[in-house]
């Protein structure tokens, strides 16, 4: 019974990690597309960043750099989550062998 509980808990954790990986991957892809689209504009273009209910004027290069930074952060988080995913899959296989 204890092994079954561990299996259920590990399965839930695995599902959560996979959902986080999908979410971060989607964020990374959206960031890459946005940076690519913004890079096509001339550097003199006036850009605005949404902050709550306001829009603040921001230099286009700073905006692109911020988007690229968030995309890179998401990519590094995906790598960490992938390692956690592999560990949880190994744990599940070990638990299934124990059943």
């Amino acid at each position: 019974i204890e092994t079954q509980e561990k299996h259920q808990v590990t399965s839930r954790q695995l599902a959560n990690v996979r959902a986080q990986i999908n979410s971060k991957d989607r964020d990374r892809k959206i960031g890459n597309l946005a940076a690519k689209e913004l890079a096509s504009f001339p550097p003199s273009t006036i850009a605005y960043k949404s902050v709550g209910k306001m829009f603040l004027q921001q230099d286009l290069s700073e905006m692109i750099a911020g988007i690229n930074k968030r995309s890179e952060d998401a990519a590094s988080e995906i790598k960490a989550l992938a390692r956690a995913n592999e560990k949880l899959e190994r744990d599940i296989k070990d638990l299934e062998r124990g059943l």
Side-chain angles (χ1 to χ4, degrees), residues 41-95:
F41 292 111
S44 61
T45 303
I46 297 173
Y48 294 91
K49 179 180 180 178
S50 173
V51 179
K53 293 183 178 181
M54 301 182 338
F55 290 96
L56 298 177
Q57 185 173 350
Q58 187 176 26
D59 185 47
L60 189 61
S61 61
E62 290 176 14
M63 188 176 286
I64 293 171
I67 291 171
N68 286 335
K69 173 80 169 97
R70 285 194 298 275
S71 293
E72 291 169 7
D73 291 346
S76 65
E77 290 177 24
I78 288 170
K79 289 179 185 177
L81 289 168
R83 286 192 296 273
N85 186 40
E86 291 172 6
K87 182 190 180 306
L88 289 170
E89 286 176 347
R90 280 194 312 269
D91 291 348
I92 286 178
K93 286 179 184 176
D94 291 343
L95 288 170

Side-chain angles (χ1 to χ4, degrees), residues 14-64:
L14 182 62
N16 287 338
V17 167
R18 286 180 177 162
Q20 288 176 341
I21 288 173
N22 289 336
S23 174
K24 296 294 180 186
D25 191 45
R26 185 177 57 250
D27 292 345
R28 183 186 57 80
K29 286 178 182 178
I30 290 171
N32 288 341
L33 287 172
K36 182 180 176 184
E37 208 49 45
L38 288 173
S40 68
F41 292 111
S44 61
T45 303
I46 297 173
Y48 294 91
K49 179 180 180 178
S50 173
V51 179
K53 293 183 178 181
M54 301 182 338
F55 290 96
L56 298 177
Q57 185 173 350
Q58 187 176 26
D59 185 47
L60 189 61
S61 61
E62 290 176 14
M63 188 176 286
I64 293 171

